[in-house]
Amino acid sequence: MSDIATGSDLLWIARGHWEIFIATYLFLGGLSGGAYLTSVVSSELFRPRARGPDEIFACEETSRWGAIVGVLAIAVGGVALLSHLGAPLRALTFPVLFTNFGSWLVIGTWFIVLFALFVTIEAFWLLFGEEHAGSEGLSYVPRWIVAWIDDVLPLPEGWSIVAALDWLADRLRPTERARRIVHAVGSVAAVGVIVYTALLLTDVSVVPLWDRQYLPIVFLMSGPSTGISAALLGTVASGGGLSRTNHLFCLADDALIAVETVTLVGLLVALSSGSPAGEQSYDLLLNGAYFPHFAVGVLALGLVVPFGLSMTMTGLVRFTDIEHRWGSAFTGGFALKYVLVLAGGFLLRYTLLFGAVKQPLGVP
């Protein structure tokens, strides 16, 4: 939280000790949950309705990329979170020590653990098994890495890590009905990972920027938005940038961006006409030190430009055939949109932490 100069009748509370690692975790936690939800939606809703081999390929790539990004993001985010602790290894004792289930810190920890389990299982099922042997697609990079390790390690003849993982995946693979149940429970855990950090911050009532009315909605929109962007960036790289799957997810992302933008505007209006600390945060974000990060990075480049870019491309696709003649330009346009959304998502968390000002104390 930010330092503010003292006034004659107010005592401003010094900033907290949170650093860039926490902003990184807030970003990656929301992204991981959003990426998993993207994977589930692609598998359960889009894949059964896919039209033709190209669209089937795009759906499957999106499902795998969503799961892979989810695993990587929660792993790196977890390391960033633990690195902030004075004794990181003590976090492993959470099942015994974390018993206050009225605390969002405890609830969030359980959400993280359960979600990490579900997203890892999903990635395992989507990458390994007999049906995936010899499959193509850039999302199979983790499988290729394991196969490369097979070649490098001096394993006994006839032994293979990939073959063992394929065997295990085939025997652990659930029925379609059980898979839907797993997806449903995993999605609840994903939403919990996305939202709990906002609810944890809003418990600090002396920080007007962390408003309980607005912040959970902002996180609930931004997490899936960044998750879609990360997963679909992989799909675009795999060659699915011109698919119907990409268009549908891009439109869903636009809806999330629109709600997020309106909510942020509401938060700014509340800050500008509220308490002294709220007004200070407002000035920091729109006029002061964090103007480049928030006004430019979040509002302009992270929200308005991606939305406008997407609407332009969607309109051209809907009313012209220019997409087929300028396919590479559209592919680049979608990639640019997703990169901007990801950058804006990180800067949003960064400014929400470092632009926060504690309510000052009145000096008699």
Side-chain angles (χ1 to χ4, degrees):
M1 288 175 288
S2 222
D3 291 316
I4 299 294
T6 58
S8 58
D9 57 347
L10 295 176
L11 176 62
W12 294 93
I13 304 171
R15 61 168 291 174
H17 61 284
W18 284 355
E19 300 296 342
I20 192 68
F21 293 113
I22 298 301
T24 301
Y25 166 69
L26 294 179
F27 169 65
L28 291 176
L31 186 153
S32 63
Y36 177 82
L37 294 176
T38 302
S39 177
V40 169
V41 169
S42 184
S43 295
E44 296 290 348
L45 298 182
F46 290 177
R47 174 62 177 82
R49 298 169 177 79
R51 307 168 184 171
D54 290 342
E55 192 170 328
I56 291 173
F57 172 79
C59 287
E60 293 177 348
E61 282 292 286
T62 300
S63 295
R64 278 189 293 274
W65 278 121
I68 293 168
V69 168
V71 170
L72 293 176
I74 199 65
V76 177
V79 171
L81 182 62
L82 291 176
S83 68
H84 177 72
L85 302 178
L89 294 180
R90 290 189 63 186
L92 299 178
T93 63
F94 79 93
V96 176
L97 299 181
F98 282 34
T99 58
N100 179 17
F101 287 97
S103 166
W104 279 109
L105 180 63
V106 174
I107 296 171
T109 301
W110 281 102
F111 272 137
I112 292 171
V113 173
L114 291 175
F115 170 73
L117 175 64
F118 279 101
V119 72
T120 301
I121 290 173
E122 183 67 12
F124 179 63
W125 283 336
L126 290 172
L127 287 167
F128 295 98
E130 192 63 33
E131 65 182 278
H132 298 293
S135 298
E136 297 182 355
L138 193 58
S139 62
Y140 279 107
V141 167
R143 183 183 176 91
W144 300 340
I145 292 174
V146 176
W148 174 79
I149 294 174
D150 265 342
D151 294 335
V152 172
L153 291 180
L155 298 174
E157 185 176 353
W159 286 55
S160 169
I161 299 175
V162 170
L165 292 175
D166 285 342
W167 179 88
L168 183 62
D170 287 334
R171 278 146 187 80
L172 295 179
R173 198 177 306 280
T175 63
E176 286 300 315
R177 183 177 181 181
R179 185 74 170 267
R180 293 191 187 99
I181 295 174
V182 171
H183 282 165
V185 178
S187 296
V188 172
V191 172
V193 170
I194 292 170
V195 175
Y196 96 89
T197 47
L199 297 172
L200 179 63
L201 291 176
T202 59
D203 278 344
V204 185
S205 58
V206 295
V207 178
L209 182 57
W210 300 340
D211 190 293
R212 185 175 288 271
Q213 181 179 354
Y214 296 102
L215 200 63
I217 300 175
V218 170
F219 276 49
L220 188 58
M221 296 299 107
S222 180
S225 176
T226 55
I228 288 174
S229 296
L232 268 296
L233 191 59
T235 302
V236 169
S238 298
L242 303 182
S243 67
R244 178 171 170 266
T245 300
N246 179 55
H247 290 311
L248 291 174
F249 271 115
C250 193
L251 290 174
D253 185 35
D254 293 339
L256 295 170
I257 289 174
V259 176
E260 182 184 351
T261 302
V262 171
T263 307
L264 280 174
V265 170
L267 174 59
L268 290 172
V269 171
L271 291 174
S272 67
S273 57
S275 63
E279 293 176 357
Q280 291 285 3
S281 286
Y282 178 89
D283 287 337
L284 279 174
L285 296 179
L286 294 184
N287 302 305
Y290 297 106
F291 173 85
H293 309 77
F294 185 80
V296 179
V298 177
L299 295 181
L301 297 180
L303 296 172
V304 175
V305 171
F307 185 85
L309 186 62
S310 180
M311 288 292 100
T312 300
M313 291 190 296
T314 300
L316 290 173
V317 170
R318 176 68 177 83
F319 297 107
T320 73
D321 64 348
I322 192 174
E323 179 186 24
H324 301 290
R325 291 184 285 121
W326 296 90
S328 59
F330 274 82
T331 298
F334 284 119
L336 176 60
K337 178 203 171 175
Y338 296 140
V339 169
L340 289 175
V341 169
L342 289 170
F346 174 77
L347 289 174
L348 173 66
R349 273 71 172 186
Y350 180 87
T351 52
L352 285 175
L353 282 185
F354 291 94
V357 180
K358 290 181 181 179
Q359 198 73 285
L361 300 176
V363 178

